Amino acid sequence: MGQDLVLGLGGTVDYEIRWDAAVLEALAAEHGIRLDELTTTTPIIDERALVVTVLAFLATGGGGERFVLTSDIVERFAAHFDKAVTLGGTGVRAGIALDRIGVPTVQHLVSIDDTVRRLLPASMRIVSSATRDTLDPHLIVQYPEGATVRVVDGAVTAPASNRLIFANDAPNREMAIADGLGDALEGAAAFLVSGFNTMQDADLLEARLDDLAAAMQRLPADALVYYEDAGFYRREFSAHVRRRLLERVDVYGMNEDELQEYLGRSVDLLSPDDVGAALAEAHHLIPARALIVHTKYWALAVGPSAARHAAGLESAVRTAATRYRLGDACTAADLDVTAGLGRHPGGTAVVAALRRSGRAVGVPAYLIDTADPTTIGLGDTFVGGFLAAVPAAARYATAAALDRALDAVGDGRAEALRPRHLHRAAVSASGSENGPHAAITRRRLTAASHASRGSSCASSDRRLPV
């Protein structure tokens, strides 16, 4: 079996705005926005349409991802708010979560610029299809539960916290597959596929799927393939991607927003009967070996291989919960603190009922009370936590944890106490010590060890204040 975790298919530069209801109210007043025009499906051709869409999502507590006509709309809207520049994309954020516990990854990127170079953790090795530097920022709007914004003829209040993504990202829309992806996959223990949701050209999508299928032929037979769904800009493309990839996908993941969009109805996430019926309906539509749905109350898996992934679900829920409660201010040790917290009672009831009936396996979410939750990147972090349970990742994490423990001993005793077999196992993770990947492996281990010693989210998910 391979040892690398290869994550793709594209990364992003994100503008995370600081929520400010007063600013949004001023924009609503400036544009004369009324309650009866709030909709989440209007084409976002200007700033006014963007404000309408944000308010429509807020009114329902929903989350999602939408296409904007130009990146200038993103820049103009973001300029009204305080913001931070971070890195996004499912693969990158999952890799950041893994970096926190000392697990290096290989990132497939389709775009690059100096911001990406500065913010990527040192433990990540890049395989990129980019031929030049580009910047097409993604606008990330995170709103809290209870947020109220007045419009011309009334007000909207968020029944739940959630996050929204708006972008016009040409490299991710074109999703060119790097020539070196096949080489990277030869040594993979796991491969994460995500990002086709932003594509809008049917012929180009078909060509990219051909390229990806060719690269995936070089995967070891026992490598785990995880496909994470997302809000497709063209919904019909989702079914086509599934037809091409599902046979090789081991785990197919989605959140509650995507589940309800597929079903065309809302789901009572605290009703065992409604959740059970929804999962059965979704699995009929998407007959994956393991179909995972992750929500704020629980994470559940259905399918013939679902039971095999219990450890991955537990790790995923714990990792996402830690980000939710602490955001970028956490450390690797905070995962252990999260593990000691209580579980959501409603989520626990749903999981227990579906487990008893044999309809699903799952893990309830943690019960977390925080005035400042982080909803950005939770799904991506969930994926990173899930992949942390892959044996190859677990070996890296164990070695990094041992490094931290032995470093704490100090006084020169750490090296004497460090088991040599762990060093040898780590060095051989991508090939023999003198083999063709030895230099890359040693660089990765050095970076992973560095990350584990300074393993705060702030050091791995570095932010540029603007």
Side-chain angles (χ1 to χ4, degrees):
M1 185 176 187
Q3 297 295 328
D4 288 331
L5 274 65
V6 182
L7 312 181
L9 292 166
T12 65
V13 172
D14 291 347
Y15 287 178
E16 296 182 14
I17 67 167
R18 181 176 300 171
W19 176 256
D20 191 329
V23 173
L24 203 57
E25 280 187 3
L27 289 171
E30 176 186 339
H31 293 295
I33 294 172
R34 308 178 68 86
L35 288 172
D36 62 2
E37 56 183 320
L38 300 186
T39 174
T40 63
T41 58
T42 188
I44 303 175
I45 59 173
D46 54 23
E47 184 182 64
R48 186 182 194 280
L50 178 54
V51 176
V52 165
T53 304
V54 170
L55 292 173
F57 273 112
L58 185 146
T60 64
E65 185 168 348
R66 292 293 184 267
F67 175 75
V68 300
L69 185 62
T70 70
S71 291
D72 288 342
I73 298 171
V74 168
E75 295 279 5
R76 180 179 176 186
F77 182 87
H80 296 293
F81 297 83
D82 292 335
K83 66 178 183 290
V85 179
T86 64
L87 296 184
T90 299
V92 172
R93 284 196 185 272
I96 288 170
L98 288 161
D99 174 78
R100 293 175 194 160
I101 59 172
V103 179
T105 57
V106 180
Q107 293 286 335
H108 180 281
L109 301 179
V110 296
S111 59
I112 193 79
D113 79 327
D114 286 342
T115 304
V116 176
R117 295 185 184 98
R118 285 193 299 269
L119 297 184
L120 272 182
S123 65
M124 293 183 182
R125 179 159 56 95
I126 298 173
V127 177
S128 178
S129 62
T131 58
R132 60 187 178 88
D133 281 19
T134 56
L135 175 61
D136 293 285
H138 289 217
L139 173 68
I140 313 296
V141 179
Q142 175 180 249
Y143 60 83
E145 181 179 352
T148 298
V149 178
R150 291 187 296 270
V151 295
V152 170
D153 58 343
V156 293
T157 299
S161 61
N162 219 317
R163 67 94 183 96
L164 309 169
I165 303 173
F166 302 94
N168 183 329
D169 187 338
N172 275 282
R173 195 163 62 248
E174 295 167 3
M175 197 55 69
I177 305 300
D179 292 338
L181 179 59
D183 292 339
L185 292 179
E186 280 189 337
F191 179 37
L192 168 64
V193 180
S194 187
F196 283 121
N197 60 299
T198 61
M199 296 194 68
Q200 299 186 48
D201 183 290
D203 291 336
L204 188 58
L205 174 62
E206 187 68 22
R208 299 308 188 226
L209 289 168
D210 287 342
D211 293 340
L212 181 62
M216 289 177 66
Q217 288 179 0
R218 299 173 67 179
L219 274 168
D222 56 357
L224 179 134
V225 177
Y226 188 118
Y227 179 90
E228 180 68 7
D229 211 330
F232 273 73
Y233 293 176
R234 292 187 58 178
R235 197 71 234 175
E236 69 272 20
F237 282 7
S238 177
H240 184 63
V241 172
R242 289 199 305 275
R243 283 194 296 271
R244 291 292 307 271
L245 298 181
L246 195 58
E247 183 179 352
R248 186 58 184 87
V249 169
D250 298 291
V251 179
Y252 192 110
M254 68 176 71
N255 65 23
E256 66 261 45
D257 295 321
E258 290 138 13
L259 171 69
Q260 292 171 123
E261 189 168 353
Y262 276 123
L263 301 184
R265 62 179 175 86
S266 62
V267 177
D268 182 349
L269 299 177
L270 294 177
S271 164
D273 289 339
D274 202 13
V275 170
L279 292 175
E281 187 178 343
H283 192 239
H284 178 75
L285 177 67
I286 306 170
R289 296 179 182 90
L291 175 65
I292 290 176
V293 179
H294 44 91
T295 79
K296 61 184 176 181
Y297 301 123
W298 42 258
L300 289 162
V302 295
S305 298
R308 294 176 49 193
H309 301 294
L313 288 172
E314 179 60 50
S315 175
V317 168
R318 183 171 63 250
T319 305
T322 303
R323 177 171 177 80
Y324 177 84
R325 70 186 183 91
L326 296 173
D328 294 332
C330 63
T331 67
D334 289 316
L335 291 168
D336 296 328
V337 175
T338 298
L341 300 177
R343 304 284 182 153
H344 191 283
T348 299
V350 170
V351 171
L354 294 181
R355 185 184 296 135
R356 282 195 304 269
S357 67
R359 288 184 286 175
V361 297
V363 176
Y366 289 92
L367 187 61
I368 297 173
D369 184 14
T370 175
D372 190 23
T374 298
T375 59
I376 298 169
L378 289 183
D380 306 333
T381 302
F382 177 95
V383 175
F386 185 93
L387 294 175
V390 171
R395 286 192 289 273
Y396 274 119
T398 298
L402 181 61
D403 272 349
R404 290 193 297 272
L406 293 178
D407 286 346
V409 173
D411 300 329
R413 288 175 287 171
E415 194 59 31
L417 293 171
R418 198 181 312 275
R420 305 315 301 167
H421 73 279
L422 283 179
H423 170 75
R424 288 194 298 272
V427 168
S428 63
S430 259
S432 65
E433 190 162 0
N434 296 318
H437 299 296
I440 292 173
T441 305
R442 282 191 289 270
R443 171 182 175 245
R444 235 191 4 243
L445 288 169
T446 300
S449 180
H450 171 76
S452 71
R453 293 187 177 110
S455 55
S456 70
C457 299
S459 65
S460 59
D461 190 6
R462 291 165 286 177
R463 300 161 71 98
L464 292 178
V466 293

